[in-house]
Amino acid sequence: MICGVLVNATGDPRTVHPVAEAVRRDWPGSRLVTLRGADQLAVYGVFGSRCVDGAVNSYLATGHLPPGDPACPTR
């Protein structure tokens, strides 16, 4: 089973959000961290979202997935 954290913005011009949701469904051991209302490809470590960066950093530090699929506001 594939597990890990996926990150996507609702307005990502390359990987549109429905595709990210489909990947999440195909990888049942994963979580999708969504940045709502952002129109950019790079999110983690680039956009400056404490919510996104915190969810990913926590996973990287502990190996524990978020309890659900976090949806983060742009600010």
Side-chain angles (χ1 to χ4, degrees):
M1 172 171 31
I2 298 172
C3 65
V5 173
L6 306 162
V7 178
N8 187 252
T10 54
D12 186 327
R14 294 226 174 151
T15 307
V16 294
H17 196 64
V19 171
E21 292 172 321
V23 171
R24 166 64 177 93
R25 284 191 300 275
D26 288 345
W27 295 356
S30 68
R31 297 293 183 270
L32 174 59
V33 180
T34 299
L35 181 61
R36 300 232 174 257
D39 296 333
Q40 75 179 62
L41 175 66
V43 176
Y44 170 67
V46 175
F47 187 82
S49 168
R50 287 184 188 182
C51 176
V52 171
D53 293 352
V56 175
N57 288 339
S58 178
Y59 171 69
L60 293 174
T62 68
H64 295 107
L65 293 168
D69 291 323
C72 301
T74 53
R75 297 282 174 216

